[in-house]
Amino acid sequence: MTEKSWRHCPGCGAVVYGKRLARQLGVCPECGRHDRVPAAKRLEQLLDPGSSRLIDCVTDGGDPLRFQDTSAYPDRLAAARAATGLTDAVLCAHGTVHGHSLVVAAMDFRFLGGSLGTAVGEAITRAAEAALADRIPLLLVCASGGARMQEGVLSLMQMGKTSSALAQLDEAGVLTISLITDPTYGGVAASFATLADVLIAEPGARLGFAGPRVIRQTIGAQLPSDFQTAEFLLAHGIIDMIRPRAELRATLARLLAAAAGQATEEATSRVSPAVTDPELLPAPDPWELVRCAREPSRPTTSDYIELLLDGFDELHGDRLGDDCPSIVGGIGSLAGRPVVVIGHQKGHTPTELAARNFGMPSPSGYRKAARLARLAAKIGIPVLTLIDTPGAHPGITAEERGQAVAIAESIRLFSALPVPVVAVVIGEGGSGGALALGVADRVYSFAGAYYSVISPEGCAAILWDDRCAAPHAAAALGLTARDLLSRGVVDGVLPEPAGGTGNDHEAAAAVVRDAVVAALDELAPLPPAELVARRRTRWRAYGSDRVLSTVEG
């Protein structure tokens, strides 16, 4: 069908002029349905004009089994090649996106359903090797019905081959991105498609190991109407984001810039506003301070992200089946420096607070945080954590899913990250739920925030046998910013705007920006091994006879 002809949308039934559909990048202007895109057209849509250079990486896998069903396998290959003009189901190319270099391997579903055979496995592997050789990111555009059965177990082996190639990119610190298009199933879904650092899906794209028909026929299950769609996968923590086709290039450009360590603006130095002498701080009433820290008007992590960062892309999910709403994180640019930001998320209204579980993370939240921290370490960019939680979620499901293990693993991971880590207590710093994001090179607290081994109410219930004794417990716990600074738990205390951070979000964000940028200016030049050694020395000192002030020097 030519571009000038009228097209019938399979999604909504609308009749759309072909040229208009082409201008929309194959997206129906009526219902937003994303058409399948040939590999060559996909390269054209994603890469800068004139930048694409094809990589000769598709080989002829032959006919190892002399396979024949209703047609001989060589005949099927010949027909697919004649219909598509491709040698096999993938095209690989060097190119740029907004000037950022990368290697792209784009699959084409028209070629035998984008099935994974030896030629496709070889092409994906060579693309990964090309990205490794040049130390530039790899983008995988995935579309597949699964393994190529006509090649038998050799097709199965391509899952291991391609996965091994991506492992090498992990070891080398090369960013990998997977663009999930409709459909992506079977051996491709269970190998390179889901092993990338960032998983982006087009709206409505389906991804899974077993297809719905196989599941229904095998176990007789009734499936949800949105089963295995991008929207379903996002809600279940499997993918990072959904992006309409028109937004893909901009999203890729931001991720590629972060991986290259390239700023979106000229970085500027800041003078830290943090108070480092506890004698310069007032001695507030501890219970009133706790109430201040819980004030719903205080900026949340999402508020700070909006005020602090440029070009932020939130990354979702623990890749294990859940996306905890109590922790948010992603990649953005802070005063010209790419960073990963991770923080507890509450809300301002009762509805928002309930939706975010009052900022009490489940194990999946900490596993999401750990995944994002590992990504920061891989591509070599700093981490900023924003702490605001009464504590990790106490519940049966959380315990069943390993709450203690998730917190412990997060603490261990942050202690060994080879990149600068700055933590800011913006509200409540409750127990191990807070510490899971608090193992850092620099730790700051707002003057109106608190950090404690347990909530005052919990302490009162256990030691006083009376929750009403919470004010007494607050006074006994040494949880004020002044207390924290005098004991070396925090490196500095951030002053609050008149009336508290909830009274002026922009002023509060400016204080955080200046303190964090000043800290990163000091930390960024340090070699990774020295960063880790200093961080471990810092944490080794707590409770010993060592003087914390010597840790930084």
Side-chain angles (χ1 to χ4, degrees):
M1 190 174 292
T2 66
E3 192 180 77
K4 294 182 179 180
S5 62
W6 293 88
R7 300 284 302 276
H8 183 271
C9 175
C12 65
V15 178
V16 184
Y17 192 47
K19 281 192 172 182
R20 184 184 182 193
L21 190 63
R23 289 195 299 270
Q24 298 282 124
L25 305 178
V27 178
C28 175
E30 302 298 327
C31 71
R33 181 184 182 274
H34 283 53
D35 267 354
R36 292 172 184 164
V37 178
K41 178 62 70 173
R42 182 72 70 173
L43 295 178
E44 180 183 317
Q45 290 179 356
L46 293 176
L47 298 178
D48 295 335
S51 72
S52 179
R53 293 179 289 111
L54 291 180
I55 302 173
D56 182 15
C57 58
V58 176
T59 60
D60 188 343
D63 182 17
L65 301 181
R66 300 186 182 278
F67 196 95
Q68 180 157 349
D69 42 64
T70 56
S71 298
Y73 181 41
D75 293 340
R76 288 190 181 277
L77 287 173
R81 287 165 179 161
T84 64
L86 301 175
T87 303
D88 217 293
V90 63
L91 276 181
C92 302
H94 284 278
T96 61
V97 176
H98 290 201
H100 303 292
S101 297
L102 76 166
V103 173
V104 185
M107 302 188 72
D108 197 316
F109 193 80
R110 299 174 305 156
F111 197 105
L112 298 183
S115 51
L116 176 59
T118 54
V120 172
E122 180 67 15
I124 297 295
T125 302
R126 290 191 188 181
E129 291 169 345
L132 180 62
D134 292 344
R135 292 298 196 274
I136 57 176
L138 173 66
L139 170 63
L140 302 162
V141 183
C142 303
S144 177
R148 189 166 299 178
M149 293 173 286
Q150 295 92 337
E151 295 186 15
V153 74
L154 288 178
S155 173
L156 183 66
M157 295 301 104
Q158 303 311 305
M159 295 170 64
K161 176 178 179 175
T162 55
S163 298
S164 176
L166 262 68
Q168 290 180 277
L169 295 180
D170 289 336
E171 294 163 4
V174 175
L175 178 70
T176 54
I177 303 170
S178 182
L179 174 57
I180 306 299
T181 72
D182 189 61
T184 300
Y185 280 113
V188 169
S191 59
F192 59 88
T194 51
L195 289 179
D197 299 309
V198 180
L199 303 186
I200 307 171
E202 291 188 328
R206 294 167 293 166
L207 168 76
F209 183 56
R213 183 172 61 181
V214 172
I215 294 172
R216 283 192 294 264
Q217 292 178 351
T218 303
I219 64 174
Q222 293 295 317
L223 304 178
S225 58
D226 66 343
F227 185 63
Q228 294 180 326
T229 64
E231 294 72 19
F232 177 95
L233 297 166
L234 185 67
H236 287 81
I238 306 301
I239 63 173
D240 286 291
M241 65 183 82
I242 300 172
R243 288 291 186 271
R245 197 166 288 164
E247 297 179 15
L248 287 174
R249 273 176 48 81
T251 300
L252 291 172
R254 290 191 296 271
L255 295 172
L256 296 172
Q262 295 181 4
T264 55
E265 62 182 70
E266 185 177 353
T268 56
S269 298
R270 311 276 170 149
V271 176
S272 178
V275 177
T276 57
D277 182 354
E279 296 302 319
L280 299 178
L281 297 170
D285 177 85
W287 180 240
E288 288 302 317
L289 181 76
V290 170
R291 296 178 65 184
C292 171
R294 294 171 175 171
E295 174 57 50
S297 64
R298 293 178 73 89
T300 66
T301 289
S302 291
D303 294 327
Y304 282 112
I305 285 172
E306 183 176 351
L307 291 167
L308 289 172
L309 302 185
D310 293 319
F312 179 74
D313 286 289
E314 183 174 357
L315 305 179
H316 289 267
D318 64 354
R319 300 270 176 95
L320 297 174
D322 198 12
D323 182 32
C324 175
S326 301
I327 285 185
V328 299
I331 301 177
S333 177
L334 172 63
R337 178 186 274 114
V339 294
V340 165
V341 177
I342 307 166
H344 301 95
Q345 177 64 22
K346 290 182 177 178
H348 299 295
T349 67
T351 300
E352 291 174 349
L353 286 163
R356 297 289 184 172
N357 200 27
F358 299 90
M360 297 186 294
S362 65
S364 69
Y366 294 113
R367 289 175 178 134
K368 173 169 63 174
R371 185 173 73 82
L372 301 188
R374 284 192 293 269
L375 173 58
K378 175 180 174 178
I379 62 177
I381 64 177
V383 177
L384 167 62
T385 65
L386 301 174
I387 297 170
D388 187 15
T389 180
H393 179 65
I396 295 173
T397 301
E399 295 301 324
E400 289 175 341
R401 296 179 180 177
Q403 184 73 287
V405 176
I407 292 172
E409 289 179 340
S410 182
I411 293 171
R412 178 175 63 182
L413 173 68
F414 274 86
S415 74
L417 285 181
V419 293
V421 183
V422 179
V424 181
V425 184
I426 60 174
E428 293 189 270
S431 189
L435 184 61
L437 300 185
V439 179
D441 303 296
R442 296 286 189 277
V443 181
Y444 299 109
S445 172
F446 265 113
Y450 80 88
Y451 204 173
S452 177
V453 66
I454 191 172
S455 70
E457 294 89 341
C459 179
I462 294 171
L463 300 182
W464 276 264
D465 198 23
D466 180 7
R467 289 179 63 87
C468 292
H472 298 292
L477 284 169
L479 47 69
T480 71
R482 179 188 173 103
D483 294 327
L484 299 171
L485 184 58
S486 66
R487 292 179 172 87
V489 173
V490 301
D491 297 288
V493 175
L494 306 184
E496 304 206 0
T501 61
N503 196 48
D504 192 336
H505 288 199
E506 291 189 1
V511 171
V512 172
R513 179 186 294 109
D514 289 348
V516 173
V517 170
L520 292 178
D521 285 344
E522 294 177 9
L523 296 167
L526 298 178
E530 185 175 348
L531 270 175
V532 174
R534 287 191 179 199
R535 193 181 309 140
R536 287 176 171 166
T537 300
R538 172 200 182 101
W539 291 86
R540 172 66 178 85
Y542 290 120
S544 72
D545 58 359
R546 302 184 184 188
V547 179
L548 281 174
S549 61
T550 66
V551 170
E552 307 304 340

